[in-house]
Amino acid sequence: MLRTSLFTQVAVALLLGVLVGKVWPEAGAAVQWVSDGFIRLIKTMIAPLVFCVVVTGIAKAGDLRAFGRIGVKALVWFEVASTLALVLGLVAANLVSPGAGMNVDPATLDPDAVDAKTGGGELASTSDFVLESLPTSFVGAFAENSILQVLVLACLTGAALLHLGPKVPAILPAVAQVEIVVFTLVGYIMRLAPLAVFAASAGLIGQYGLTVITTYGKLIAVCYLVGLLFLGLLAVALRLLTGISLWQFVRYTRAELLLALGTASSESVMPRMMDKLRKAGCRDDAVGLVLPTGYSFNLDGASIYLSVGTLFIAQAVGVDLSLGQQVTVVLVLMLTSKGMAGVPGSAFLALSATASSLGVIPAGAVALLLGADRIMDSMRVVVNLLGNCVAVFVVSRWDGALDLPLARRVLTAPSDEPVTDKAEEDGDGSATVTPVPDESPTGTSTTDASVADASVADASLTDASAGRTPDQAPANTTAGG
């Protein structure tokens, strides 16, 4: 099994976990800590990785204004995509009515159950959200693993390196070398991915069993079908705007998607997704900005769940929401869904805030979704992850930061054949070929590409010291199309 691909290992681990959770529920629930430990290790790598990729991306792009354009375009795309997800969820819930006929008496529900799920927390206001995105110390942003704060620091550092140029010739190569080390560490941690998936699936089935699927069958079916419909629309948009096939990208990242599905965490695959998007022709600065930002601003799967869940609750307690009230639901969720990332029980906080804004749904009715919430994780994770990857491709293409020929070669290559990027010129004029290997069980293939990035960083600094502007220096990828 150690010689098989990561996809095969994770798939087998997922099936074994479901089997163990079904046959030995107590044993399944007892190994959940293994999955939690794996996710903790991966999260440790995210902040330094995002910092290094963004800093080197800005420095190699040589144009801070281009980086700002990418950020604005990403936010526009995020808002359009998440609003579409909310509207699709509301339309589907109106057509299917998953909560109709339940006739639940809100007085029989325990309102304290929601507080136990959320730990008594609350979603940040808009002003608090903005303030919390600004770091209070350089080290604190990394210690707290606050991705938005790390992004702010990375943007400032990249801008400073562009301004100082040859005055700090050793900084950029050092950052590039740290990136190599981080990717290597990610490769080591990925060896534990099959164990993490086994533990997560065994723990899920052991704790909740398979009966929850029959109890909330209609609600679960609506959410998953809307998720598939949304992904279909994303596939059409991706094809029209970039010419790239979403199915080919799914095949290219199938191991990462299965790992995210098994662990119910999109963060567990962020480092690997960043590396694969770069290998697929997206420029470093676009990947480093759009993908991590999307984890906070582009939660398409969560938007679907929230809109369907709101109508499910209303229908279950016999409340008929008018068109105006449903428009209010969309507007409220457009705001509350942006502050969900990293908040325990954030979906229930957003649902509670939405119910309070309507004034007709009892707050305790949100507890109806406690039994189905964990089953919805798989849909939310996959839709969130693919939605953010599509955003990287679309925004990169929109800003001329996508090497389209390379993307097509990588995504259409047979899974057992490596793909080589076009030769990149080093400072001495020699050519360096950056390989784009297939996924490996260890996940250590990212190192070679990072080494090439370091050589390019050295070349860029050499050019700067020779009096050339940063955008005349060789870049890791060229804008295509």
Side-chain angles (χ1 to χ4, degrees):
M1 183 173 178
L2 291 175
R3 295 185 178 180
T4 59
S5 69
L6 177 63
F7 173 79
T8 303
Q9 292 185 39
V10 171
V12 172
L14 181 64
L15 294 176
L16 288 176
V18 172
L19 179 62
V20 169
K22 176 64 177 175
V23 178
W24 300 288
E26 294 182 358
V31 297
Q32 175 66 41
W33 65 271
V34 176
S35 176
D36 296 338
F38 172 80
I39 294 174
R40 283 193 177 196
L41 289 174
I42 287 291
K43 283 184 176 181
T44 305
M45 301 293 106
I46 291 176
L49 180 61
V50 169
F51 180 83
C52 293
V53 170
V54 172
V55 169
T56 55
I58 293 176
K60 287 186 287 184
D63 186 0
L64 195 59
R65 287 179 296 179
F67 193 74
R69 287 198 310 270
I70 290 174
V72 172
K73 292 173 180 178
L75 292 177
V76 171
W77 176 264
F78 292 161
E79 198 58 51
V80 171
S82 58
T83 302
L84 174 62
L86 287 171
V87 172
L88 281 179
L90 283 179
V91 171
N94 277 292
L95 292 176
V96 181
S97 300
M102 294 185 68
N103 300 320
V104 175
D105 182 3
T108 63
L109 300 174
D110 181 11
D112 294 333
V114 176
D115 291 335
K117 177 72 174 181
T118 61
E122 59 182 16
L123 295 176
S125 64
T126 302
S127 58
D128 289 339
F129 180 74
V130 173
L131 285 176
E132 289 174 3
S133 300
L134 302 177
T136 56
S137 75
F138 204 101
V139 176
F142 289 88
E144 296 172 6
N145 208 29
S146 176
I147 301 305
L148 289 180
Q149 292 183 12
V150 171
L151 270 175
V152 171
L153 291 173
C155 292
L156 293 174
T157 304
L161 289 178
L162 277 181
H163 177 71
L164 295 172
K167 295 181 180 179
V168 284
I171 299 299
L172 187 57
V175 174
Q177 290 165 9
V178 171
E179 182 182 329
I180 296 172
V181 174
V182 174
F183 270 124
T184 303
L185 292 174
V186 170
Y188 295 156
I189 298 171
M190 288 300 295
R191 295 174 183 267
L192 302 174
L195 291 177
V197 171
F198 168 80
S201 56
L204 173 64
I205 301 301
Q207 182 176 358
Y208 295 97
L210 297 175
T211 56
V212 66
I213 298 178
T214 58
T215 304
Y216 293 92
K218 200 172 183 180
L219 171 65
I220 295 170
V222 171
C223 286
Y224 275 79
L225 288 175
V226 175
L228 288 174
L229 175 61
F230 180 78
L231 291 178
L233 294 176
L234 282 184
V236 173
L238 183 63
R239 172 70 77 175
L240 292 176
L241 297 175
T242 67
I244 292 174
S245 167
L246 182 60
W247 171 248
Q248 290 175 348
F249 180 75
V250 169
R251 183 178 66 91
Y252 172 59
T253 58
R254 61 191 182 277
E256 289 74 22
L257 291 172
L258 192 59
L259 174 59
L261 184 69
T263 59
S265 171
S266 56
E267 288 183 327
S268 65
V269 296
M270 184 195 283
R272 295 261 304 187
M273 280 299 192
M274 291 180 71
D275 186 54
K276 286 207 163 185
L277 286 166
R278 294 164 66 196
K279 286 181 168 67
C282 297
R283 206 168 62 200
D284 286 10
D285 53 343
V287 174
L289 179 62
V290 178
L291 188 65
T293 306
Y295 273 60
S296 294
F297 289 94
N298 191 38
L299 304 175
D300 299 325
S303 297
I304 291 171
Y305 172 61
L306 291 173
S307 56
V308 174
T310 300
L311 261 68
F312 169 81
I313 294 169
Q315 293 164 358
V317 297
V319 174
D320 186 19
L321 297 180
S322 65
L323 179 61
Q325 289 172 322
Q326 294 191 34
V327 171
T328 302
V329 169
V330 173
L331 295 176
V332 172
L333 290 177
M334 283 174 62
L335 295 175
T336 56
S337 62
K338 298 299 183 291
M340 290 175 56
V343 180
S346 56
F348 290 96
L349 293 173
L351 288 169
S352 298
T354 305
S356 299
S357 66
L358 293 174
V360 293
I361 301 177
V366 176
L368 280 171
L369 290 174
L370 286 172
D373 182 70
R374 184 64 179 83
I375 302 298
M376 299 296 186
D377 276 347
S378 299
M379 182 277 296
R380 288 192 298 243
V381 165
V382 172
V383 175
N384 287 346
L385 185 58
L386 284 176
N388 286 323
C389 291
V390 168
V392 174
F393 278 116
V394 171
V395 173
S396 297
R397 175 67 168 170
W398 190 359
D399 202 68
L402 176 64
D403 188 341
L404 195 54
L406 173 60
R408 287 171 174 162
R409 290 203 305 273
V410 170
L411 298 181
T412 58
S415 59
D416 57 348
E417 292 183 11
V419 179
T420 54
D421 192 356
K422 58 188 172 183
E424 297 172 340
E425 295 233 344
D426 290 334
D428 58 358
S430 61
T432 301
V433 177
T434 303
V436 185
D438 182 41
E439 64 226 4
S440 65
T442 63
T444 55
S445 62
T446 58
T447 307
D448 294 337
S450 299
V451 173
D453 288 345
S455 65
V456 175
D458 291 331
S460 299
L461 288 172
T462 303
D463 292 334
S465 62
R468 285 179 284 186
T469 58
D471 55 352
Q472 290 174 316
N476 183 37
T477 59
T478 57

